């Protein structure tokens, strides 16, 4: 990749970097103070090379996933991860009660289904271990923004703290529709 860039032959470089046929896939994840971005299905080698070379920019396709009409236990649980369904029920109900998500929770099925209308950040719908990882990344990108949005630092220090915070009844701290 480096040789192709340094060759001075733009067509050769574009072919080696596959930017025309297979652009780098970046996913935009909205949040209360601004978005986070993560690598989608491809592009790790190209992004790493661009960083090593100190390139100021690289061509990428940025997409943003839409909020699903419903979220089930299976949708939110990574393949192979063992998590009690009650854990997600507590999290989703807590998000709704605190105003960090808007919608309804349908508990007529065995594990329950969340029908979100809005959520402050889609990563909040994930199991606690994933949610706190995203929260830490979000706080690095936007220091203090989560606290300002009503999510205290103590809530995302570990998975149990996240679960406990969401399980604690309290008045709504934000409005997911503003996200």
């Amino acid at each position: 990749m480096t040789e192709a860039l340094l060759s001075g032959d733009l067509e050769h470089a574009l072919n080696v970097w596959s930017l025309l046929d297979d652009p780098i896939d970046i996913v935009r994840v909205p949040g209360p103070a601004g978005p986070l971005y993560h690598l989608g299905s491809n592009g790790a080698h190209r992004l790493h090379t661009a960083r090593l070379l100190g390139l100021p920019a690289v061509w990428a396709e940025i997409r943003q996933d839409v909020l699903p009409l419903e979220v089930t236990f299976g949708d939110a649980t990574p393949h192979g991860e063992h998590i009690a369904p009650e854990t997600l029920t507590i999290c989703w109900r807590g998000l709704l009660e605190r105003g960090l998500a808007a919608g309804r929770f349908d508990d007529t099925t065995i594990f329950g289904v969340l029908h979100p209308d809005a959520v402050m950040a889609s990563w909040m719908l994930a199991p606690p271990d994933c949610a706190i990882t995203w929260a830490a990344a979000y706080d690095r990108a936007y220091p203090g923004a989560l606290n300002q949005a009503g999510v205290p630092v103590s809530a995302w220090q570990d998975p149990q703290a996240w679960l406990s915070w969401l399980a604690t009844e309290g008045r709504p701290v934000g409005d997911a529709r503003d996200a």
Side-chain angles (χ1 to χ4, degrees):
M1 288 182 182
T2 303
E3 284 178 20
L5 269 183
L6 298 175
S7 73
D9 182 350
L10 180 60
E11 188 172 325
H12 176 60
L14 289 175
N15 283 333
V16 169
W17 278 62
S18 302
L19 293 176
L20 298 177
D21 298 328
D22 190 22
I24 296 170
D25 179 28
I26 303 292
V27 180
R28 180 182 190 273
V29 181
L36 289 179
Y37 296 89
H38 73 89
L39 185 60
S41 60
N42 68 50
H45 288 90
R46 293 175 282 177
L47 286 177
H48 185 68
T49 301
R51 264 202 239 126
L52 286 173
L53 295 174
L55 297 180
V58 66
W59 184 263
E61 220 171 59
I62 299 174
R63 64 182 165 89
Q64 179 173 313
D65 294 333
V66 298
L67 189 62
L69 296 175
E70 66 179 34
V71 184
T72 66
F73 176 78
D75 296 331
T77 308
H79 180 69
E81 184 175 321
H82 298 288
I83 182 171
E86 299 80 26
T87 299
L88 284 176
T89 298
I90 291 168
C91 291
W92 293 344
R93 287 182 188 271
L95 291 169
L96 292 168
E97 288 171 8
R98 292 184 173 277
L100 299 170
R104 66 181 174 82
F105 184 77
D106 176 6
D107 59 5
T108 59
T109 65
I110 189 165
F111 296 131
V113 177
L114 177 66
H115 298 274
D117 295 328
V119 65
M120 186 173 292
S122 58
W123 49 263
M124 290 181 169
L125 301 175
D129 57 334
C130 294
I132 65 161
T133 300
W134 275 96
Y138 199 85
D139 192 62
R140 281 191 302 278
Y142 302 98
L146 289 176
N147 193 48
Q148 199 170 32
V151 183
V153 173
S154 60
W156 48 268
Q157 293 306 298
D158 62 65
Q160 188 55 48
W162 182 251
L163 189 60
S164 295
W165 180 72
L166 287 171
T168 305
E169 288 189 38
R171 64 177 183 73
V173 293
D175 188 344
R177 288 172 285 243
D178 294 338

